[in-house]
Amino acid sequence: MSQANDLADALPVAILGGGPVGLAALAHLLDRKLPAVLLEAAPQVGEHFRQYGPVRLFSPWKFNIDGAMRRRLLQAGWTAPPDDALPLANEIAAQLLVPFAQLPQVAPHVKLGHRVLSIARVGMDKVNSEGRGAAPFELRVSTAAGEQQLLARAVIDASGTWGSPNPLGSNGLPVAGEAALREHIVYGIPDVLGRDRQRYAGKRVLVLGAGHSAANALLWLAELASTDAATSIVWAVRGRAMARAFGGGAADRLPARGELGNRLRQPVNAGSLRLERDFHVRALQRVGDKMRVIAASSDGTPRIIDGVDEIICATGQRPDLTLTRELRLKLDPWLESTEALGPLIDPNVHSCGTVPPHGHRELSHPEPGFYTVGVKSYGRAPTFLMLTGYEQVRSVVAALAGDLAAADQVELVLPETGICSTTGHAEAGTAASEAACCGTPVATVSARIAVRRKDTAPAQCNA
C-alpha cells in the first residue's frame, strides 16, 4: 500500500451536520471502528429541530431512532420513549440527539461551533483529474478560535436544508421588496403560540405555502385568532387543487400526517381564514405601516392583498450548494438532489411519500468518497422521513468500510401519504391520482422515468 493510501486511511471521515442523520452516520462509523469527526455549526446538536421545536412530528418514536444509536444509548442506561408516541421536534433534540452526542465514546468525535465554509481536494480544484481520488478532502472550517483546515478521507454531507429556505417568488427568486421588508417575514414555522405570540396577535398575517409547515402555522394562527378576534389570516397557495395541501386523510399510513389536513379543513370551511388559490407573489410594497402584496394568477390576472402586517413564507427549502463548488457533483437538473434519486422522488411525477430502496450507489457522486445523505440528498423534493436517512447512512458507512455486501443490501419501506398525482393538480381519490404512483408496478415507474429523462443524459444509477 502506498504512503498516500496509508495517510488517507488514517484520516477521519468528516460528517457535516449534527442532526439525526449525521449522528446516525457517526454511530455506524464508530461501530465499524472507522475514524470519524462530526462538524456542527451550532453550539449544540439538533439545532434545526429546536428552531421548529413546538411542531409535533407525524412519525412515532419507533421510526425516529436509528438502530446503531439506540444500541449505544441502551447500553448506557438510556430509557427509550414509547414506540408509538409522537414526539415534538424539540423532544427529538432533547431526548435523543443530545443524550447520544454526550455519550463518553461519542462526545470526543463531535465538534460543536464548527461551521464548514467550503470543501475541496488538497492541492487541486475541480478541473484536475490526475490523482484526484487519492488526494484527501480539505475542509475550511470556521470556529471560535478562527478559521481552521481539516483533512478527511471521505465526507458525508448531512447538513440538511432547513437553513436555506425558498423565497416568496414562485419562480424561485426573491420578489421585489422582499429583502427590504425582511423584518416582517419569517421563513419556516414560527412559534405562533409561544415565543412569537405577540408578533402575530391582533395582526393580519399572510401564510404562503401548501405543505406541512404552512399547515402547522395556519392551525396555530387559527387557535390564536379564536382568542383574539383582531387576528386575521390569509392563506395563499400557488396551485389550484388542494389535494396535496389537505393530504390523504384516512388513507395516509401515518395517521397524524393525515389528520393534520383534516384539521386544516375546519377553519377553511368555517371561513375563519381566507384562502387564495393560484396565487403567485410578484412584489411587496410598504404602504404606511402595512404591506401590500402584489401577485398574479397563472393566467396573468392581477391579485392584490392589502393591509398585511406579517408574512410566513413556508414554501420549502433548497440545498446549500456553495460548500461544494470545487467538488465534482452530479445533481438532478431541477431537484438538485443526487442525480440517481431524482426520478424516484420527483414531485412532478408522484407524491406518495414512498421511494424505492437506495443506498451508497445512488448517494455517491463523481467525486470519490463524497456522499450527500439525509434531506439534502432529496434536494428540493419534499416528504423526507428520518427512517430514509438512517438506511442511507448505514449503507454508505458499510461501503466506506469495504463491506459492499452489506452496503448493497438496502431495505426501505416507507408509509404512503395517501395522496398521489402525476401533475400536481389531480385531486385525491380521482382515477388519475390513484394511477399515478400508489401501487404502480415497477415497470410503469421505470417507463415514466425514461420519459422524464429523454432530454437529458442517461442517469448513472449503479443499483
Side-chain angles (χ1 to χ4, degrees), residues 167-168 175-178 181-190 199-200 203-209 217 221 232 234 236 279 281 283-285 290-294 305 307-315:
L168 291 170
V175 301
E178 185 170 347
L181 292 166
R182 177 67 179 83
E183 63 182 306
H184 298 290
I185 306 171
V186 168
Y187 299 86
I189 316 175
R199 177 169 184 164
Y200 298 105
K203 304 291 180 61
R204 190 175 202 199
V205 185
L206 170 67
V207 178
L208 179 66
L221 286 166
S232 171
V234 182
F279 192 87
V281 180
L284 302 180
Q285 292 179 353
K290 305 284 186 178
M291 286 183 287
R292 170 174 292 166
V293 181
I294 301 171
I305 300 177
V308 174
D309 296 293
E310 296 286 339
I311 296 175
I312 297 174
C313 180
T315 55

Side-chain angles (χ1 to χ4, degrees), residues 111-199:
K111 306 301 179 185
L112 302 175
H114 281 56
R115 180 179 297 278
V116 177
L117 304 174
S118 57
I119 312 171
R121 291 282 190 178
V122 171
M124 59 182 69
D125 63 16
K126 70 191 305 179
V127 177
N128 298 104
S129 296
E130 186 176 355
R132 187 170 191 88
F137 288 95
E138 177 183 341
L139 291 78
R140 300 288 176 86
V141 185
S142 175
T143 73
E147 187 173 310
Q148 299 179 2
Q149 173 186 295
L150 184 145
L151 301 183
R153 60 168 287 206
V155 176
I156 299 175
D157 185 357
S159 57
T161 59
W162 187 257
S164 302
N166 289 327
L168 291 170
S170 56
N171 61 358
L173 302 176
V175 301
E178 185 170 347
L181 292 166
R182 177 67 179 83
E183 63 182 306
H184 298 290
I185 306 171
V186 168
Y187 299 86
I189 316 175
D191 187 1
V192 173
L193 298 177
R195 179 186 62 247
D196 301 317
R197 188 183 188 95
Q198 292 308 309
R199 177 169 184 164

Side-chain angles (χ1 to χ4, degrees), residues 30 36 73-74 113 129 187 204 219 225 247 279 281 295 303 320 322 330 404 411 422:
L30 295 178
L73 284 164
L74 291 175
S129 296
Y187 299 86
R204 190 175 202 199
L219 288 170
F279 192 87
V281 180
R303 310 272 290 277
D320 180 0
T322 59
K330 201 161 192 178
L404 292 183
E411 297 181 2
T422 56

